[in-house]
Amino acid sequence: MKLVTGASGMLGVALVNHLAEVGEAYLPLSSKDLDLRDYDATKQVFASHKPNTVFHLAAKVGGVRANMDAPGDFYRDNILINTSVMDACLLADTEKIVSVLSTCVYPDEKWVKYPLTEEQLHVGPPHDSNFGYAFSKRMLEVQSRAYRRQHGLKSVCVIPNNLFGEHDNFAEGQSHVIPALIRKVWEAKIRNQSSITVWGDGKPLREFTYSKDVAKILRVIELEYDDETPVNIGCTQERSIESIVKMICDLLEYDGKIVYDVSMPTGQNRKPSSNSLLLSSTSWKDVDYTPFEIALSNTCEWFRLQYPKVRGIE
């Protein structure tokens, strides 16, 4: 049986749906079912179900503002979550755990050479805007290697880039760039606002990967990849924030003015990653990623139909 932490989140929903499609038995765990910061309770649940594979997606996450306001909370909560899950896997004799990190774990741009490759993970500190969260995720990678070497646990860490898709978190101050923009544009449209304000100048470049694609990749990783080296799994096509704002406005049919507030933080200028290890070590290919325009259209349409009954708004 598979166990999925963070099963009610965007990626968790995509993964459990994919597991159901391929006929795999799974146990979904969300924060409503279990507080993974509770060490003893987590070990008890894992021991009672004895999953052979754990997909560890759960984390305390948020956007730039949330990370800058509470770096200590992001570090502490994620360290507690990860330690509970890793130790529970040992107690339950779990064969393999696949843990999800983020490209924000990589060092700030002055420390690395682009594109980001896995061996550069620890060559310098992460960007200051999310250092608490980023370091907690780095420590999950360290812990995974340590448990593999000492206990023989097949522990693999994957590093996606910016995820988006249906069932995302659209809460103000907590959501990432695409869900935040979708909500901003849609609410401006239905409220007949003549303009929207976007943080920064719109010039930073980012890579984005559809949650349904990552769900499929996680299954591929479970079956085909077993190494202590973490692996980048995201689509590597870069897009500017400005171009995404325009696409979302077109998809949601909003024709108001876009105002860029250059006094607000924007994060790193760019952080392109390499997925060559994924492509060379598994059967996944670049052509298997859903075209960005289709994935964004699907997400906007889902949001439009579900609004306001979506996470972070309802």
Side-chain angles (χ1 to χ4, degrees), residues 136-184:
S136 73
K137 284 295 192 176
R138 277 201 202 177
M139 291 306 99
L140 175 55
E141 189 276 327
V142 172
Q143 191 172 12
S144 295
R145 280 188 286 130
Y147 278 41
R148 173 186 285 268
R149 295 182 185 184
Q150 180 176 345
H151 303 292
L153 177 63
K154 293 181 178 180
S155 182
V156 174
C157 289
V158 300
I159 308 176
N161 42 39
N162 296 281
L163 303 185
F164 72 99
E166 298 88 339
H167 304 281
D168 209 335
N169 182 3
F170 294 86
E172 290 184 356
Q174 299 179 30
S175 57
H176 290 102
V177 58
I178 285 184
L181 290 171
I182 290 174
R183 177 177 180 176
K184 183 184 292 286

Side-chain angles (χ1 to χ4, degrees), residues 84-104:
S84 294
V85 170
M86 293 291 292
D87 281 2
C89 285
L90 295 181
L91 181 64
D93 294 323
T94 298
E95 295 178 9
K96 189 168 189 177
I97 175 172
V98 180
S99 299
V100 178
L101 309 185
S102 165
T103 48
C104 75

Side-chain angles (χ1 to χ4, degrees), residues 247-273:
M247 289 181 65
I248 291 173
C249 288
D250 289 342
L251 288 167
L252 295 178
E253 299 179 335
Y254 175 71
D255 58 4
K257 183 179 179 181
I258 302 169
V259 178
Y260 289 95
D261 184 352
V262 296
S263 69
M264 301 304 291
T266 59
Q268 294 173 244
N269 290 326
R270 64 190 294 258
K271 44 182 179 180
S273 61

Side-chain angles (χ1 to χ4, degrees), residues 27-135:
L27 173 67
L29 285 180
S30 71
S31 57
K32 293 180 180 179
D33 305 312
L34 175 66
D35 184 350
L36 293 171
R37 296 171 298 180
D38 188 326
Y39 187 80
D40 292 331
T42 302
K43 290 200 299 182
Q44 183 177 3
V45 170
F46 277 54
S48 63
H49 292 282
K50 293 192 175 299
N52 62 303
T53 300
V54 171
F55 292 100
H56 180 32
L57 318 182
K60 179 182 177 66
V61 298
V64 173
R65 179 191 296 174
N67 273 276
M68 294 180 69
D69 288 345
D73 291 351
F74 279 90
Y75 184 84
R76 179 199 63 235
D77 285 358
N78 283 303
I79 289 292
L80 291 173
I81 289 169
N82 297 335
T83 298
S84 294
V85 170
M86 293 291 292
D87 281 2
C89 285
L90 295 181
L91 181 64
D93 294 323
T94 298
E95 295 178 9
K96 189 168 189 177
I97 175 172
V98 180
S99 299
V100 178
L101 309 185
S102 165
T103 48
C104 75
V105 301
Y106 278 108
D108 196 4
E109 54 190 330
K110 66 181 179 181
W111 298 96
V112 295
K113 295 181 180 179
Y114 289 138
L116 296 170
T117 51
E118 293 83 358
E119 68 271 12
Q120 299 185 77
L121 181 58
H122 297 288
V123 299
H127 192 269
D128 193 59
S129 63
N130 60 1
F131 82 97
Y133 174 79
F135 269 121

Side-chain angles (χ1 to χ4, degrees), residues 10 163-170 178-179 182-183 209-212 248 251-252 290 292-307 310:
M10 171 185 59
L163 303 185
F164 72 99
E166 298 88 339
H167 304 281
D168 209 335
N169 182 3
F170 294 86
I178 285 184
I182 290 174
R183 177 177 180 176
T209 309
Y210 194 26
S211 58
K212 291 183 178 180
I248 291 173
L251 288 167
L252 295 178
T290 303
F292 180 80
E293 294 79 5
I294 294 175
L296 185 61
S297 177
N298 291 346
T299 305
C300 287
E301 180 65 6
W302 176 87
F303 179 85
R304 185 185 68 80
L305 293 174
Q306 297 295 323
Y307 184 89
V310 297

